[in-house]
Structure formats: C-alpha cells, structure tokens
Amino acid sequence: MALLKVLLLLLGLGVSVNSAVSLQKRIIGGHNCADTERQYHVRLEGSNGTHTNLCGGSLIGRKWILTADTCWKTERGWTNDAMLKVHPRNARVKFPRIQGDIGLYHPEGWRHDITLLKIQIPVTNVQFAPLPDCSNRPKKDDIVQLAGEGAMTTGPNNEQLSNAVAATQLQCVDMQVVEATHFLPTYGHVFSAKAQNKDVCFGDAGSAAVFNGKMYGVISPGVPRYACESAASIVDVCEYMEWIRATLSEK
C-alpha cells in the first residue's frame, strides 16, 4: 500500500543501471502546483514510533477531510495528525496540526479505500475542494490532474522508496485516463490514469484527482515496486457521492 507524487528518472543514453547507485535521483515529470490551486490540500501523518506514514487529503467542508482509508492508521500504537494550509508554503496563515478528536467514517458494507475524517472544530478561511459533477465524469482519454507531497526520488533500477524524503512543494501532474470505472476488491470503485515517465509515489495516496476544476478521485495507495510501470489507481468519488452527502448532512 502506498501513496502520491510525480516522477521521471532521467537517464543519459547508454548509461547502465547499477544496483548500488540511484543514478543521482534526477527527477522530472511533475511541476510545483500553482499557489492559487489546491489550497484545500491536507497533509496526513502517522507514526508508531518506528515507522511513519505520509498521505494527502482534501478539505471538502468546514469539518470534513476526504482521503484514502489506509491513510488514517487505526492499528494499536499509531498516532495520526492532520495539517491544513500546507499549500502554498508561503501562506501567511498556518493551521496547527489537528491531533485526536477526529471521527472516522467509512461507506457501509465491505471495505473500500475511501474515508471521511471529521474535525471537531470547524475550519474557516480555507478553500474547500469542489465536489464533482457526476453527469460529466472523466472518460477514457480525458486528462486528470493528480497531486501530492510524495517522494520525488527512486532507488536502484527505478525502484520505489517507501522512506524517501517528501517533496518540498506540492507537486501536480497531468495523466490520461486509460481505464474507466471498475471494481477492485479491497479498493472499491476505481478508474486508472497513466502518462509516460510520470507516476504516483509513496506519500501521494489520499490526495485529489481533479478534472475540469473539480475533485473526481482519491489517489489509491497501491504503488508498484518500480516506478512508471503501471497506471495509477484512483478511487472514483462519483461512486460514493450518495454516502458523502448523507454523512455530511447527518453527522
């Protein structure tokens, strides 16, 4: 399981891959997200004393964060917190980390990789993520924008690194939808997107996939061992809008 960012390992022609070296970890593929966009991005961090977990999320209301289910650790010994207003980094108003007192809500029935976190104290003066117009959801070949703070480096042979340093700026990348919504056990209803030499990484899960300025997806934490090999799986928010609206109105 894993998370998001965007990368391309730039290899010089004729350079062989040495398993003991990471080829200077020169990365391209994504770009710094504009300061005017994605101000609703939330950083989620977990720790059990020996391991850490980095994810993204999206503020969709004064008390609500939408993210991937596996981003909020419920196992014994783990502590979690959420940090708002992490983008842009030069924002004058910073919100403190929110620890504890966060409600956790899942869709009913079998487990899907999407969850709602409820903050006890309402948030003000923060942009909310625009929820989707499900009559115009992304189709095959449409371009969606993914983002996250995941690691921007890979290891030997382009292998993903779960403990790599996170990006210093929120990264955005455009990817093409290659598979329409389908159901995957333990993940739920997902669609897939891919672009040459671009990928999502550990740390990116839970962040938003945007189409036409609206949030249509939550990046799934499934990350292959090697970068840029497989399409990114994205939980389809439209398939869960009835549950989202009901939860926001009832709780």
Side-chain angles (χ1 to χ4, degrees), residues 80-201:
N80 301 279
D81 57 5
M83 182 178 288
L84 310 179
K85 206 68 175 179
V86 295
H87 178 73
R89 294 290 171 89
N90 60 357
R92 293 183 179 180
V93 180
K94 295 288 185 183
F95 287 86
R97 294 172 181 266
I98 302 170
Q99 295 179 308
D101 294 330
I102 292 183
L104 188 64
Y105 299 91
H106 303 105
E108 293 184 5
W110 58 85
R111 193 164 186 168
H112 298 227
D113 205 5
I114 187 169
T115 195
L116 280 165
L117 305 177
K118 185 180 182 182
I119 304 167
Q120 298 305 310
I121 301 175
V123 177
T124 59
N125 301 320
V126 179
Q127 180 189 84
F128 300 148
L131 291 173
D133 171 8
C134 294
S135 66
N136 185 34
R137 66 174 72 183
K139 305 176 296 296
K140 190 174 182 297
D141 297 329
D142 282 338
I143 302 298
V144 293
Q145 184 198 66
L146 280 62
E149 296 183 279
M152 299 174 66
T153 58
T154 56
N157 303 322
N158 222 17
E159 187 170 2
Q160 298 269 21
L161 299 175
S162 61
N163 60 347
V165 177
T168 56
Q169 296 286 339
L170 184 67
Q171 296 292 295
C172 284
V173 65
D174 291 336
M175 301 180 80
Q176 185 177 37
V177 176
V178 294
E179 189 173 12
T181 300
H182 55 288
F183 185 80
L184 285 179
T186 73
Y187 289 90
H189 300 277
V190 301
F191 62 93
S192 303
K194 192 173 185 179
Q196 186 175 11
N197 297 321
K198 299 175 183 180
D199 205 352
V200 297
C201 305

Side-chain angles (χ1 to χ4, degrees), residues 24 26 37 39 42 44 56 58 65-68 80 91 103 106 111 113 117 131 144-145 180 200 216 231 236 240 245:
Q24 307 304 314
R26 295 186 296 163
E37 62 185 351
Q39 294 178 12
V42 179
L44 302 173
S58 299
I65 297 168
L66 185 63
T67 185
N80 301 279
H106 303 105
R111 193 164 186 168
D113 205 5
L117 305 177
L131 291 173
V144 293
Q145 184 198 66
V200 297
Y216 282 85
D236 189 342
Y240 300 93
R245 291 194 180 101

